[in-house]
């Protein structure tokens, strides 16, 4: 019988193991295996992009960081991570967006995202540079349209910085002078006289906190009109305000504001008010947003020789409302709102409940022209009749419509032409009136 010698070499025993590693190597470098690796990458990057589009930014960040752990120089993953962090308000976004830009300086999406990032950081110069790059790199594309919208907004805002000042000087013709500064409720006595007036309106704002997640500002507004003939109806309004906005997430922000309003009519104190107005802002993405607002106003009216029973209106007002903003294409925004309010003054015949509905269109045209159209219906039902006026309980239906057009003349100056029409239908004749106001203003923003 043939016997196998124990002295034979051990090569045949290790040969199968060698073959196993050899074939594993061939598989790893084969086109099929590479295709599987690329397929896994594409699946991961697609999942991350889908998370960004559905506002699941935390999921996107985790997915993209995992990709970059094995592909640290991947442009697409770097850019998307910068976008996701930017949407979260994370300052780390800047580093990733700039890294993506170094990889491909001609990418319009990267320039756009950097422009948006600096826009929200109130860095006007940086934002403009990147947004203008987008317009030159990708003209007549969705990227350039978006960039132009942000550039237009920057132009409207004027200088973006800690301190801003807006000045409007102009004239108004009122065919039925009613005391109304536009910022506060004033007497409902109707003069039924027409007059011209010169108007100056100043608004200053100081942003003392701007972290991206928390913004806070203090402001002061001054309004003065000077009638040609009806000087007893001249209005001076001083408004001080404090505002803070907290960005809870990219979808949700909480805004709260306090204001103190002090008003004079004909040189005499007329009223002052404390106003607190918290609101919740829900950003649904792509320009859609919903605002839920509550307002509490504590009002103190002061008697004068012209308004000797003015203090009867002292009291408070509670209002709750909702506003929906809907973009219609690249240059048009639609807004619709509803509000319910209840006023509770000292005298019951001034007490009322109201329902207000409003709809408006805003056109931001690329030629530096901004047009606003709005219409409003306000129904007011009073609690008691005023024995000094009528035996009937008062009911008012206020219909108003307005149009204004603003043309930018430069980055600082603009011109505004406006028309307002108000029809107050009341079951009591003294409160039934029509009113039309034509306005011309030169505006400056610093």
């Amino acid at each position: 019988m043939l016997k196998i010698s124990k002295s034979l070499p051990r090569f045949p025993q290790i040969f199968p193991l060698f073959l196993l590693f050899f074939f594993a190597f061939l598989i790893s470098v084969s086109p099929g295996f590479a295709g599987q690796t690329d397929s896994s990458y594409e699946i991961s990057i697609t999942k991350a992009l889908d998370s960004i589009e559905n506002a699941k930014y935390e999921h996107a960040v985790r997915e993209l960081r995992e990709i970059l752990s094995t592909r640290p120089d991947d442009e697409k993953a770097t850019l998307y991570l910068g976008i996701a962090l930017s949407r979260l308000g994370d300052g780390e976004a800047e580093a990733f967006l700039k890294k993506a830009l170094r990889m491909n300086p001609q990418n319009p999406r990267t320039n756009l995202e950097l422009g948006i990032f600096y826009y929200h950081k109130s860095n006007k110069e940086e934002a403009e540079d990147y947004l203008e790059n987008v317009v030159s790199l990708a003209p007549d594309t969705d990227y350039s349209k978006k960039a132009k919208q942000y550039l237009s907004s920057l132009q409207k805002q004027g200088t973006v910085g800690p301190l801003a000042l807006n000045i409007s000087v102009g004239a108004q013709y009122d065919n039925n002078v009613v005391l109304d500064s536009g910022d506060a409720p004033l007497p409902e006595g109707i003069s039924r006289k027409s007059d011209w007036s010169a108007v100056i309106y100043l608004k200053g704002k100081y942003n003392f906190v701007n972290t991206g997640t928390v913004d806070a500002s203090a402001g002061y507004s001054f309004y003065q009109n000077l009638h040609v003939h009806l000087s007893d109806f001249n209005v001076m309004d001083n408004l001080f305000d404090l505002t803070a906005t907290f960005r809870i997430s990219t979808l949700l922000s909480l805004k709260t504001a306090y204001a103190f309003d002090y008003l004079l009519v004909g040189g005499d104190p007329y009223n002052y008010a404390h106003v607190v107005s918290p609101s919740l802002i829900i950003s649904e993405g792509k320009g859609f947003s919903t605002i839920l607002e509550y307002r509490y106003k504590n009002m103190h009216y002061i008697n004068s020789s012209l308004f000797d029973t003015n203090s009867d209106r002292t009291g408070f007002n509670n209002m709750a409302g909702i506003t929906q903003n809907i973009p219609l294409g690249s240059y048009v925004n639609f807004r619709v709102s509803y509000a319910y309010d209840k006023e509770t003054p000292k005298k019951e015949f001034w007490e009322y409940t109201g329902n207000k509905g409003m709809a408006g269109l805003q056109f931001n045209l690329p030629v530096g022209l901004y047009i606003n159209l709005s219409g409003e219906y306000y129904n007011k039902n009073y609690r008691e009749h005023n024995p000094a006026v009528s035996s009937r309980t008062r009911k008012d239906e206020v219909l108003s419509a307005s149009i204004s057009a603003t043309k930018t003349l430069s980055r600082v100056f603009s011109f505004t032409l406006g028309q307002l029409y108000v029809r107050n239908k009341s079951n009591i004749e003294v409160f039934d009136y029509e009113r039309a106001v034509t306005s011309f203003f030169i505006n400056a923003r610093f």
Side-chain angles (χ1 to χ4, degrees):
M1 179 182 292
L2 179 64
K3 293 183 179 180
I4 300 176
S5 172
K6 292 182 179 180
S7 63
L8 284 174
R10 299 179 59 189
F11 173 76
Q13 295 178 8
I14 65 170
F15 187 71
L17 186 61
F18 172 78
L19 289 177
L20 178 62
F21 281 107
F22 178 74
F23 283 115
F25 172 76
L26 290 177
I27 292 172
S28 68
V29 298
S30 68
F33 183 84
Q36 290 177 3
T37 304
D38 289 342
S39 176
S40 175
Y41 163 78
E42 290 298 335
I43 290 172
S44 296
I45 205 79
T46 301
K47 285 171 61 178
L49 181 57
D50 183 69
S51 294
I52 291 174
E53 290 177 346
N54 288 282
K56 298 177 180 178
Y57 304 116
E58 293 86 356
H59 293 84
V61 168
R62 288 195 294 270
E63 192 81 35
L64 292 161
R65 286 192 190 279
E66 187 173 341
I67 293 172
L68 289 172
S69 67
T70 57
R71 293 173 174 245
D73 295 323
D74 185 86
E75 180 194 348
K76 190 180 294 185
T78 303
L79 171 58
Y80 288 161
L81 180 56
I83 293 171
L85 290 169
S86 179
R87 300 295 188 271
L88 288 170
D90 192 326
E92 192 182 6
E94 183 179 17
F96 285 98
L97 290 172
K98 285 197 169 181
K99 181 180 178 181
L101 187 71
R102 288 194 297 271
M103 295 175 181
N104 184 2
Q106 305 303 312
N107 189 330
R109 177 69 186 276
T110 308
N111 280 273
L112 175 63
E113 292 297 335
L114 275 164
I116 293 172
F117 176 83
Y118 286 116
Y119 174 91
H120 290 299
K121 287 291 184 182
S122 296
N123 189 330
K124 180 176 184 289
E125 289 73 22
E126 291 280 356
E128 281 186 336
D129 285 344
Y130 288 111
L131 294 170
E132 288 171 355
N133 286 346
V134 178
V135 176
S136 61
L137 288 169
D140 302 320
T141 64
D142 289 338
Y143 293 135
S144 63
K145 288 180 182 178
K146 192 74 173 178
K148 287 177 181 178
Q149 289 178 350
Y150 278 99
L151 286 168
S152 174
S153 179
L154 287 171
Q155 191 176 56
K156 287 168 63 179
Q157 293 172 11
T159 302
V160 179
L163 187 63
L165 176 64
N166 298 327
I167 305 173
S168 295
V169 178
Q172 289 183 327
Y173 176 75
D174 191 339
N175 76 339
N176 187 356
V177 175
V178 180
L179 298 176
D180 185 2
S181 70
D183 291 317
L186 293 171
E188 303 207 26
I190 310 303
S191 71
R192 301 187 189 279
K193 295 181 180 179
S194 60
D195 200 4
W196 281 92
S197 64
V199 178
I200 181 170
Y201 180 65
L202 309 175
K203 186 174 183 179
K205 181 180 178 182
Y206 176 66
N207 299 288
F208 55 88
V209 177
N210 187 359
T211 66
T213 55
V214 179
D215 296 331
S217 64
Y220 169 69
S221 300
F222 173 80
Y223 173 95
Q224 175 74 66
N225 69 351
L226 298 169
H227 286 90
V228 175
H229 303 293
L230 304 174
S231 59
D232 286 344
F233 291 88
N234 291 344
V235 173
M236 179 189 291
D237 192 9
N238 296 273
L239 180 69
F240 303 86
D241 68 87
L242 288 170
T243 304
T245 302
F246 306 89
R247 292 182 178 85
I248 302 169
S249 71
T250 53
L251 299 178
L252 200 63
S253 297
L254 176 64
K255 182 178 180 181
T256 182
Y258 164 77
F260 175 74
D261 195 6
Y262 182 70
L263 190 143
L264 296 89
V265 176
D268 295 324
Y270 179 77
N271 84 331
Y272 63 90
H274 300 276
V275 186
V276 178
S277 52
S279 59
L280 190 65
I281 304 167
I282 305 168
S283 301
E284 294 95 356
K286 298 183 178 180
F288 290 84
S289 65
T290 304
I291 302 172
L292 304 174
E293 181 182 9
Y294 169 74
R295 185 195 67 206
Y296 172 78
K297 181 181 291 187
N298 191 328
M299 304 166 292
H300 299 266
Y301 289 87
I302 303 166
N303 292 334
S304 65
S305 58
L306 190 60
F307 308 103
D308 56 357
T309 61
N310 203 29
S311 61
D312 290 348
R313 301 179 63 193
T314 295
F316 55 89
N317 181 286
N318 286 280
M319 184 277 290
I322 181 171
T323 300
Q324 180 68 48
N325 293 297
I326 304 169
L328 302 176
S330 301
Y331 305 111
V332 184
N333 290 298
F334 174 69
R335 64 190 182 279
V336 60
S337 68
Y338 166 76
Y340 170 84
D341 75 314
K342 179 177 175 63
E343 187 147 311
T344 310
K346 183 188 298 184
K347 294 293 185 179
E348 291 184 345
F349 53 76
W350 283 113
E351 181 176 335
Y352 72 83
T353 58
N355 292 276
K356 181 187 295 185
M358 188 278 291
L361 285 169
Q362 179 178 333
F363 300 84
N364 301 320
L365 303 179
V367 292
L369 180 64
Y370 307 95
I371 300 174
N372 278 283
L373 302 171
S374 67
E376 183 179 284
Y377 172 80
Y378 193 9
N379 177 274
K380 299 167 73 174
N381 293 304
Y382 288 78
R383 179 177 176 181
E384 300 287 346
H385 73 280
N386 185 342
V389 177
S390 173
S391 60
R392 290 182 294 174
T393 302
R394 180 180 170 188
K395 294 183 179 180
D396 285 8
E397 288 185 317
V398 187
L399 303 170
S400 61
S402 67
I403 180 172
S404 68
T406 298
K407 179 69 174 75
T408 56
L409 306 175
S410 68
R411 290 193 174 185
V412 174
F413 295 102
S414 62
F415 173 76
T416 300
L417 173 64
Q419 182 66 47
L420 168 70
Y421 173 77
V422 180
R423 174 72 173 98
N424 191 87
K425 297 180 179 180
S426 179
N427 63 336
I428 298 176
E429 184 179 0
V430 70
F431 297 116
D432 190 275
Y433 68 91
E434 289 185 335
R435 184 188 185 201
V437 181
T438 304
S439 305
F440 311 86
F441 286 101
I442 291 289
N443 316 295
R445 299 175 183 272
F446 304 97

